[in-house]
Amino acid sequence: LGRKKSEVKAYQLQVARVLLSVFTLLTVASGLIYTAEHEYNPDIPDYFTALYFGLTTLTTVGFGDITPVTFQGKLVVCGSILAGVAVIPAQAASLVEALFELQEERRGTQGVVDGIVDGAGNGLLGRRNNSIAAVSNDCPACGASSHRRDAKFCWSCGSALETSSMAEINNDAVDREGVSEEDAAINND
């Protein structure tokens, strides 16, 4: 399309794949049903009626206003239903995955969507994610670990967490200004 490979994003390719897949399936199914049925079925007199029938078949809506009468037409309908159930959801899932990757890229993260990581920065699915690292300390109330770096409360018990950056801020405030630790903790909330 006149674009460099580096300029084309994954979600753009997936959108093109989904549109081309749906268009191809729809035109092929409509053409086959028209070829099989137009001479024998008065409900399918032209290609546009076959296109309507193909769309309702591929989407598995099947209004029931048009039904195939020939064996070949019934075979095409069976294939269209199977393609509509198998191909379109798989393509849509790939599109959603590409859109999630785009969203993560825009946020500046890589990998884990939910952000739950272990101490090594590995996500629940085993993928490495350097942008959301676990805090070094455990929950002071229940001892739970694997909190997100930006977590303010424990995922297990709901108690307030003190992250490494908050601890450094508190220590700096206490050292420089003589502020009590309780006042520094209140100021951070």
Coordinates of all heavy atoms in Angstrom, one line a residue, residues 10-76:
A10 N 0.5 -3.5 14.1 CA -0.1 -4.9 14.2 C -1.6 -4.8 14.1 O -2.3 -5.6 13.5 CB 0.3 -5.6 15.4
Y11 N -2.2 -3.8 14.8 CA -3.7 -3.7 14.8 C -4.2 -3.3 13.4 O -5.3 -3.7 13.0 CB -4.1 -2.7 15.8 CG -4.0 -1.2 15.5 CD1 -5.1 -0.6 14.9 CD2 -2.9 -0.5 15.7 CE1 -5.0 0.7 14.5 CE2 -2.8 0.8 15.3 CZ -3.9 1.4 14.7 OH -3.8 2.7 14.4
Q12 N -3.4 -2.6 12.6 CA -3.8 -2.2 11.3 C -3.9 -3.5 10.4 O -4.8 -3.7 9.6 CB -2.9 -1.2 10.7 CG -3.0 0.2 11.3 CD -1.9 1.1 10.9 OE1 -0.8 0.7 10.6 NE2 -2.2 2.4 10.9
L13 N -2.9 -4.4 10.6 CA -2.9 -5.6 9.8 C -4.1 -6.5 10.2 O -4.7 -7.1 9.4 CB -1.6 -6.4 10.0 CG -0.3 -5.8 9.4 CD1 0.9 -6.6 9.8 CD2 -0.5 -5.8 7.9
Q14 N -4.4 -6.5 11.5 CA -5.5 -7.3 12.0 C -6.8 -6.8 11.5 O -7.7 -7.6 11.1 CB -5.5 -7.5 13.5 CG -4.5 -8.5 14.0 CD -4.6 -9.8 13.4 OE1 -3.7 -10.3 12.9 NE2 -5.8 -10.4 13.5
V15 N -7.0 -5.5 11.5 CA -8.2 -4.9 10.9 C -8.4 -5.3 9.5 O -9.5 -5.7 9.0 CB -8.2 -3.4 11.1 CG1 -9.4 -2.7 10.3 CG2 -8.4 -3.0 12.6
A16 N -7.3 -5.2 8.7 CA -7.3 -5.6 7.3 C -7.7 -7.1 7.2 O -8.5 -7.5 6.3 CB -6.0 -5.3 6.6
R17 N -7.1 -7.9 8.0 CA -7.3 -9.4 7.9 C -8.8 -9.7 8.2 O -9.4 -10.5 7.6 CB -6.4 -10.1 8.9 CG -5.0 -10.3 8.4 CD -4.2 -11.1 9.4 NE -2.8 -11.1 9.0 CZ -1.8 -10.8 9.8 NH1 -2.1 -10.6 11.1 NH2 -0.6 -10.8 9.4
V18 N -9.3 -9.0 9.3 CA -10.7 -9.3 9.6 C -11.7 -8.8 8.5 O -12.6 -9.6 8.1 CB -11.1 -8.6 11.0 CG1 -12.6 -8.6 11.2 CG2 -10.4 -9.2 12.1
L19 N -11.5 -7.6 8.0 CA -12.3 -7.1 6.9 C -12.2 -8.0 5.7 O -13.2 -8.3 5.0 CB -12.0 -5.7 6.6 CG -12.3 -4.7 7.7 CD1 -11.8 -3.3 7.3 CD2 -13.8 -4.7 8.0
L20 N -11.0 -8.4 5.3 CA -10.8 -9.2 4.1 C -11.4 -10.6 4.3 O -12.0 -11.2 3.4 CB -9.3 -9.3 3.7 CG -8.8 -8.1 3.1 CD1 -7.2 -8.2 2.9 CD2 -9.4 -7.8 1.8
S21 N -11.3 -11.2 5.5 CA -11.8 -12.5 5.8 C -13.4 -12.4 5.7 O -14.0 -13.3 5.1 CB -11.4 -12.9 7.2 OG -10.1 -13.2 7.3
V22 N -14.0 -11.5 6.3 CA -15.4 -11.4 6.3 C -15.9 -11.1 4.9 O -16.9 -11.8 4.4 CB -15.9 -10.3 7.3 CG1 -17.4 -10.0 7.1 CG2 -15.7 -10.6 8.7
F23 N -15.2 -10.2 4.2 CA -15.6 -9.9 2.8 C -15.5 -11.2 1.9 O -16.4 -11.5 1.1 CB -14.8 -8.8 2.2 CG -15.1 -8.4 0.8 CD1 -16.2 -7.7 0.5 CD2 -14.2 -8.8 -0.2 CE1 -16.5 -7.4 -0.8 CE2 -14.5 -8.5 -1.5 CZ -15.7 -7.8 -1.8
T24 N -14.4 -11.9 2.0 CA -14.2 -13.1 1.2 C -15.2 -14.2 1.6 O -15.8 -14.7 0.6 CB -12.7 -13.6 1.5 OG1 -11.8 -12.6 1.1 CG2 -12.5 -14.8 0.6
L25 N -15.4 -14.4 2.8 CA -16.4 -15.4 3.2 C -17.8 -15.1 2.7 O -18.5 -15.9 2.2 CB -16.4 -15.6 4.7 CG -15.2 -16.3 5.3 CD1 -15.2 -16.3 6.9 CD2 -15.1 -17.8 4.9
L26 N -18.1 -13.8 2.9 CA -19.4 -13.4 2.5 C -19.6 -13.5 0.9 O -20.7 -14.0 0.5 CB -19.7 -11.9 2.9 CG -21.1 -11.3 2.7 CD1 -22.1 -12.2 3.3 CD2 -21.1 -9.9 3.1
T27 N -18.7 -13.0 0.2 CA -18.8 -13.1 -1.3 C -18.8 -14.5 -1.8 O -19.6 -14.9 -2.7 CB -17.8 -12.2 -2.0 OG1 -16.5 -12.6 -1.6 CG2 -18.0 -10.7 -1.7
V28 N -17.9 -15.3 -1.2 CA -17.8 -16.7 -1.7 C -19.1 -17.5 -1.3 O -19.7 -18.2 -2.2 CB -16.6 -17.4 -1.1 CG1 -16.6 -18.9 -1.3 CG2 -15.3 -16.9 -1.8
A29 N -19.6 -17.3 -0.1 CA -20.8 -18.0 0.3 C -22.0 -17.5 -0.5 O -22.8 -18.3 -0.9 CB -21.0 -17.8 1.8
S30 N -22.1 -16.2 -0.7 CA -23.2 -15.7 -1.5 C -23.2 -16.2 -2.9 O -24.2 -16.5 -3.5 CB -23.2 -14.2 -1.4 OG -23.3 -13.7 -0.1
G31 N -22.0 -16.2 -3.5 CA -21.9 -16.7 -4.9 C -22.2 -18.2 -5.0 O -22.9 -18.6 -6.0
L32 N -21.8 -19.0 -4.0 CA -22.1 -20.4 -4.1 C -23.5 -20.7 -3.9 O -24.1 -21.5 -4.5 CB -21.2 -21.1 -3.0 CG -19.7 -21.3 -3.3 CD1 -19.0 -21.9 -2.1 CD2 -19.5 -22.1 -4.6
I33 N -24.1 -19.9 -2.9 CA -25.6 -20.2 -2.7 C -26.4 -19.7 -3.9 O -27.4 -20.3 -4.2 CB -26.0 -19.5 -1.3 CG1 -27.4 -20.1 -0.9 CG2 -26.2 -18.0 -1.4 CD1 -27.3 -21.5 -0.4
Y34 N -26.0 -18.6 -4.5 CA -26.7 -18.1 -5.7 C -26.6 -19.1 -6.8 O -27.6 -19.5 -7.5 CB -26.2 -16.8 -6.1 CG -26.8 -16.3 -7.4 CD1 -28.1 -15.8 -7.4 CD2 -26.2 -16.3 -8.6 CE1 -28.8 -15.3 -8.5 CE2 -26.8 -15.9 -9.8 CZ -28.1 -15.4 -9.7 OH -28.7 -15.0 -10.8
T35 N -25.4 -19.7 -7.0 CA -25.2 -20.7 -8.1 C -26.0 -21.9 -7.8 O -26.6 -22.5 -8.7 CB -23.7 -21.0 -8.2 OG1 -22.9 -19.8 -8.4 CG2 -23.4 -22.0 -9.3
A36 N -26.0 -22.4 -6.6 CA -26.7 -23.6 -6.2 C -28.3 -23.4 -6.2 O -29.0 -24.4 -6.5 CB -26.3 -24.1 -4.9
E37 N -28.8 -22.2 -5.9 CA -30.2 -22.1 -5.6 C -31.0 -21.3 -6.6 O -32.2 -21.4 -6.7 CB -30.4 -21.5 -4.2 CG -29.9 -22.4 -3.1 CD -30.9 -23.5 -2.8 OE1 -32.1 -23.3 -2.9 OE2 -30.4 -24.6 -2.5
H38 N -30.4 -20.4 -7.4 CA -31.2 -19.4 -8.1 C -32.1 -20.0 -9.2 O -33.2 -19.5 -9.4 CB -30.3 -18.3 -8.7 CG -29.7 -18.7 -10.0 ND1 -28.6 -19.5 -10.1 CD2 -30.1 -18.4 -11.3 CE1 -28.2 -19.6 -11.4 NE2 -29.1 -19.0 -12.1
E39 N -31.8 -21.2 -9.7 CA -32.7 -21.8 -10.7 C -33.8 -22.6 -10.1 O -34.9 -22.8 -10.7 CB -31.9 -22.7 -11.6 CG -30.9 -22.0 -12.5 CD -30.1 -22.9 -13.4 OE1 -30.3 -24.1 -13.4 OE2 -29.1 -22.4 -14.0
Y40 N -33.6 -23.0 -8.8 CA -34.6 -23.9 -8.2 C -35.4 -23.3 -7.0 O -36.4 -23.8 -6.7 CB -33.9 -25.2 -7.6 CG -33.1 -25.9 -8.7 CD1 -31.7 -25.8 -8.7 CD2 -33.7 -26.7 -9.7 CE1 -31.0 -26.4 -9.7 CE2 -33.0 -27.3 -10.6 CZ -31.6 -27.2 -10.7 OH -30.9 -27.8 -11.6
N41 N -34.9 -22.2 -6.5 CA -35.5 -21.6 -5.3 C -36.0 -20.2 -5.7 O -35.2 -19.3 -5.9 CB -34.4 -21.5 -4.2 CG -35.0 -21.2 -2.9 OD1 -36.2 -20.7 -2.8 ND2 -34.3 -21.4 -1.8
P42 N -37.3 -20.0 -5.7 CA -37.9 -18.7 -6.0 C -37.5 -17.6 -5.0 O -37.7 -16.4 -5.2 CB -39.4 -18.9 -6.1 CG -39.6 -20.2 -5.3 CD -38.3 -21.0 -5.4
D43 N -37.1 -18.0 -3.8 CA -36.8 -17.1 -2.7 C -35.4 -16.4 -3.0 O -35.1 -15.4 -2.3 CB -36.7 -17.7 -1.4 CG -38.1 -18.1 -0.9 OD1 -39.1 -17.5 -1.3 OD2 -38.2 -19.1 -0.1
I44 N -34.6 -17.0 -3.9 CA -33.3 -16.4 -4.2 C -33.2 -16.1 -5.7 O -32.6 -16.8 -6.5 CB -32.1 -17.3 -3.8 CG1 -32.2 -17.7 -2.3 CG2 -30.8 -16.7 -4.1 CD1 -31.2 -18.7 -1.8
P45 N -33.9 -15.0 -6.1 CA -33.9 -14.6 -7.6 C -32.7 -13.9 -8.1 O -32.4 -13.9 -9.3 CB -35.2 -13.7 -7.7 CG -35.3 -13.1 -6.3 CD -34.7 -14.1 -5.3
D46 N -31.9 -13.2 -7.2 CA -30.8 -12.4 -7.6 C -29.7 -12.5 -6.6 O -29.8 -13.1 -5.5 CB -31.2 -11.0 -7.8 CG -31.9 -10.3 -6.6 OD1 -31.7 -10.8 -5.5 OD2 -32.6 -9.3 -6.8
Y47 N -28.5 -11.9 -7.0 CA -27.3 -12.0 -6.2 C -27.5 -11.3 -4.8 O -27.0 -11.7 -3.8 CB -26.1 -11.5 -6.9 CG -24.8 -11.6 -6.1 CD1 -24.2 -12.8 -5.9 CD2 -24.3 -10.5 -5.5 CE1 -23.0 -12.9 -5.1 CE2 -23.2 -10.6 -4.7 CZ -22.5 -11.8 -4.5 OH -21.4 -11.9 -3.8
F48 N -28.2 -10.2 -4.8 CA -28.3 -9.4 -3.6 C -29.2 -10.1 -2.6 O -28.9 -10.0 -1.4 CB -28.9 -8.0 -3.9 CG -28.0 -7.2 -4.7 CD1 -28.1 -6.9 -6.0 CD2 -26.8 -6.7 -4.0 CE1 -27.2 -6.2 -6.7 CE2 -25.9 -5.9 -4.8 CZ -26.1 -5.6 -6.1
T49 N -30.1 -10.9 -3.0 CA -30.9 -11.8 -2.1 C -30.0 -12.9 -1.5 O -30.0 -13.2 -0.3 CB -32.1 -12.4 -2.7 OG1 -32.9 -11.3 -3.3 CG2 -32.9 -13.2 -1.8
A50 N -29.1 -13.4 -2.4 CA -28.1 -14.4 -1.9 C -27.1 -13.8 -1.0 O -26.7 -14.4 0.0 CB -27.4 -15.0 -3.1
L51 N -26.8 -12.5 -1.2 CA -25.9 -11.8 -0.3 C -26.5 -11.6 1.1 O -25.9 -11.8 2.1 CB -25.5 -10.4 -0.9 CG -24.5 -9.6 -0.2 CD1 -23.1 -10.3 -0.3 CD2 -24.4 -8.2 -0.9
Y52 N -27.8 -11.2 1.1 CA -28.5 -11.1 2.3 C -28.5 -12.5 3.1 O -28.3 -12.6 4.3 CB -29.9 -10.6 2.1 CG -30.9 -10.9 3.1 CD1 -31.0 -10.2 4.3 CD2 -31.8 -12.0 3.0 CE1 -31.9 -10.5 5.3 CE2 -32.8 -12.3 4.0 CZ -32.8 -11.5 5.2 OH -33.7 -11.8 6.1
F53 N -28.9 -13.5 2.3 CA -28.9 -14.9 2.9 C -27.5 -15.3 3.4 O -27.4 -15.9 4.5 CB -29.4 -15.9 1.9 CG -29.5 -17.3 2.4 CD1 -30.5 -17.6 3.3 CD2 -28.6 -18.2 2.0 CE1 -30.6 -18.9 3.8 CE2 -28.7 -19.5 2.4 CZ -29.7 -19.9 3.4
G54 N -26.5 -15.0 2.6 CA -25.1 -15.3 3.1 C -24.7 -14.6 4.3 O -24.1 -15.2 5.2
L55 N -25.1 -13.3 4.5 CA -24.8 -12.6 5.7 C -25.5 -13.1 6.9 O -24.9 -13.3 8.0 CB -25.2 -11.1 5.5 CG -24.8 -10.2 6.6 CD1 -23.3 -10.1 6.8 CD2 -25.3 -8.8 6.3
T56 N -26.8 -13.5 6.7 CA -27.5 -14.0 7.9 C -27.0 -15.4 8.2 O -27.1 -15.8 9.4 CB -29.0 -14.1 7.6 OG1 -29.3 -14.8 6.5 CG2 -29.6 -12.7 7.5
T57 N -26.5 -16.1 7.2 CA -26.0 -17.5 7.5 C -24.6 -17.4 8.2 O -24.3 -18.1 9.1 CB -25.9 -18.3 6.2 OG1 -27.1 -18.3 5.6 CG2 -25.4 -19.7 6.4
L58 N -23.7 -16.5 7.7 CA -22.4 -16.4 8.3 C -22.4 -15.9 9.7 O -21.6 -16.3 10.5 CB -21.5 -15.5 7.4 CG -20.8 -16.1 6.2 CD1 -20.1 -15.0 5.4 CD2 -19.8 -17.2 6.7
T59 N -23.3 -15.0 10.0 CA -23.5 -14.5 11.3 C -24.3 -15.4 12.2 O -24.5 -15.1 13.4 CB -24.1 -13.1 11.3 OG1 -25.4 -13.2 10.7 CG2 -23.2 -12.1 10.6
T60 N -24.7 -16.5 11.7 CA -25.5 -17.5 12.4 C -26.8 -17.0 12.9 O -27.4 -17.5 13.9 CB -24.7 -18.3 13.5 OG1 -24.4 -17.3 14.5 CG2 -23.5 -18.9 12.9
V61 N -27.3 -15.9 12.3 CA -28.6 -15.3 12.7 C -29.7 -16.2 12.2 O -30.6 -16.7 12.9 CB -28.8 -13.9 12.3 CG1 -30.2 -13.4 12.5 CG2 -27.8 -13.0 13.0
G62 N -29.7 -16.4 10.9 CA -30.7 -17.3 10.2 C -32.1 -17.0 10.5 O -32.8 -17.7 11.3
F63 N -32.6 -15.9 9.9 CA -34.0 -15.5 10.2 C -35.0 -16.5 9.8 O -36.1 -16.5 10.4 CB -34.3 -14.2 9.4 CG -33.5 -13.0 10.0 CD1 -32.7 -12.3 9.2 CD2 -33.7 -12.6 11.3 CE1 -32.0 -11.2 9.7 CE2 -33.0 -11.6 11.8 CZ -32.2 -10.8 11.0
G64 N -34.7 -17.4 8.8 CA -35.7 -18.4 8.5 C -36.6 -18.0 7.3 O -37.5 -18.8 6.9
D65 N -36.5 -16.8 6.8 CA -37.3 -16.3 5.7 C -36.9 -16.9 4.4 O -37.7 -17.1 3.5 CB -37.4 -14.8 5.6 CG -36.0 -14.2 5.5 OD1 -35.0 -14.9 5.8 OD2 -35.9 -13.0 5.2
I66 N -35.6 -17.3 4.3 CA -35.1 -18.0 3.1 C -34.5 -19.3 3.5 O -33.6 -19.3 4.5 CB -34.1 -17.1 2.3 CG1 -34.8 -15.8 1.9 CG2 -33.6 -17.8 1.1 CD1 -33.8 -14.8 1.3
T67 N -34.8 -20.4 2.9 CA -34.1 -21.6 3.2 C -33.7 -22.3 1.9 O -34.3 -22.2 0.8 CB -35.1 -22.6 3.9 OG1 -36.3 -22.8 3.1 CG2 -35.4 -22.1 5.3
P68 N -32.6 -23.0 1.9 CA -32.1 -23.7 0.7 C -33.0 -24.9 0.4 O -33.5 -25.6 1.3 CB -30.7 -24.1 1.0 CG -30.6 -24.2 2.5 CD -31.6 -23.2 3.0
V69 N -33.2 -25.2 -0.9 CA -34.0 -26.4 -1.3 C -33.2 -27.5 -1.9 O -33.6 -28.6 -1.9 CB -35.2 -26.0 -2.2 CG1 -36.1 -25.1 -1.4 CG2 -34.7 -25.3 -3.5
T70 N -32.0 -27.1 -2.4 CA -31.2 -28.2 -3.1 C -30.1 -28.7 -2.1 O -29.8 -28.1 -1.1 CB -30.4 -27.6 -4.3 OG1 -29.5 -26.6 -3.9 CG2 -31.4 -27.0 -5.3
F71 N -29.6 -29.9 -2.5 CA -28.6 -30.5 -1.6 C -27.3 -29.6 -1.6 O -26.7 -29.4 -0.6 CB -28.2 -31.9 -2.2 CG -27.0 -32.5 -1.5 CD1 -27.2 -33.0 -0.2 CD2 -25.8 -32.5 -2.1 CE1 -26.1 -33.6 0.5 CE2 -24.7 -33.1 -1.4 CZ -24.8 -33.6 -0.2
Q72 N -26.9 -29.1 -2.8 CA -25.8 -28.2 -2.9 C -25.9 -26.9 -2.1 O -25.0 -26.5 -1.4 CB -25.5 -27.8 -4.4 CG -25.1 -29.0 -5.2 CD -26.3 -29.7 -5.8 OE1 -27.4 -29.4 -5.6 NE2 -26.0 -30.7 -6.7
G73 N -27.1 -26.4 -2.1 CA -27.4 -25.2 -1.3 C -27.3 -25.5 0.2 O -26.8 -24.7 1.0
K74 N -27.8 -26.6 0.6 CA -27.7 -27.0 2.0 C -26.3 -27.3 2.5 O -25.9 -26.9 3.6 CB -28.6 -28.3 2.3 CG -30.1 -28.0 2.2 CD -30.9 -29.3 2.3 CE -32.4 -28.9 2.1 NZ -33.2 -30.1 2.2
L75 N -25.5 -27.8 1.5 CA -24.1 -28.1 1.8 C -23.3 -26.7 2.0 O -22.5 -26.5 2.9 CB -23.5 -28.9 0.7 CG -22.1 -29.5 0.9 CD1 -22.1 -30.4 2.1 CD2 -21.6 -30.2 -0.4
V76 N -23.7 -25.8 1.1 CA -23.1 -24.4 1.2 C -23.4 -23.8 2.5 O -22.6 -23.1 3.2 CB -23.5 -23.5 0.0 CG1 -23.1 -22.1 0.2 CG2 -22.9 -24.1 -1.3

